[in-house]
Amino acid sequence: QVQLVESGGGLVQAGGSLRLSCAATGTIFSMHAMGWYRQAPGKERELVAEIISGGRTNYANSVKGRFTISRDNAKNTVYLQMNSLKPEDTAIYCCNFRYQDSYSNDIEHWGQGTLVTVSS
């Protein structure tokens, strides 16, 4: 029932900025966490940024000071503002929601991913 719709990926030059958005459609009874992950060729998928219920945030060391995660709870939407982009940031970025549905089931849901390419 719940689907995640991502947008904002694309091609940008080093030093530029992009903002990713991920919005959930359907019913989410209680949100636990929203996050962004990425996977580059030859590397494992890694957590980029996460925001927990209550507002606490976590960031990968490689993006601290450059990326900012935020949310709009009323719209069930999470954003990732990416500044000072580097070629090393090139990857497929996926959003991840952890939530409880109306039947009290704990659910983890992934978006399909959006490609971010940073040229030097």
Side-chain angles (χ1 to χ4, degrees):
Q1 294 181 348
V2 173
Q3 295 183 346
L4 304 183
V5 181
E6 300 169 327
S7 63
L11 175 64
V12 65
Q13 293 184 349
S17 299
L18 287 173
R19 187 177 70 174
L20 306 183
S21 300
C22 179
T25 60
T27 301
I28 296 177
F29 185 75
S30 179
M31 186 73 73
H32 298 320
M34 307 178 190
W36 289 96
Y37 292 74
R38 69 184 182 187
Q39 187 168 22
K43 295 185 177 181
E44 298 294 324
R45 184 174 63 191
E46 65 172 345
L47 173 68
V48 178
E50 183 180 44
I51 184 164
I52 312 298
S53 61
R56 182 177 180 180
T57 57
N58 298 308
Y59 294 93
N61 288 333
S62 60
V63 307
K64 287 181 179 178
R66 299 188 297 120
F67 291 9
T68 303
I69 189 169
S70 61
R71 66 186 179 188
D72 185 336
N73 288 333
K75 298 180 179 179
N76 284 325
T77 300
V78 64
Y79 305 93
L80 184 67
Q81 179 67 45
M82 304 185 293
N83 298 326
S84 301
L85 283 161
K86 304 175 181 179
E88 301 93 293
D89 296 317
T90 296
I92 296 174
Y93 287 71
C94 297
C95 61
N96 174 274
F97 283 22
R98 302 198 302 275
Y99 60 92
Q100 189 175 77
D101 65 15
S102 59
Y103 299 97
S104 298
N105 296 310
D106 291 325
I107 306 295
E108 183 178 59
H109 207 91
W110 291 89
Q112 290 299 305
T114 183
L115 177 63
V116 172
T117 302
V118 184
S119 62
S120 60

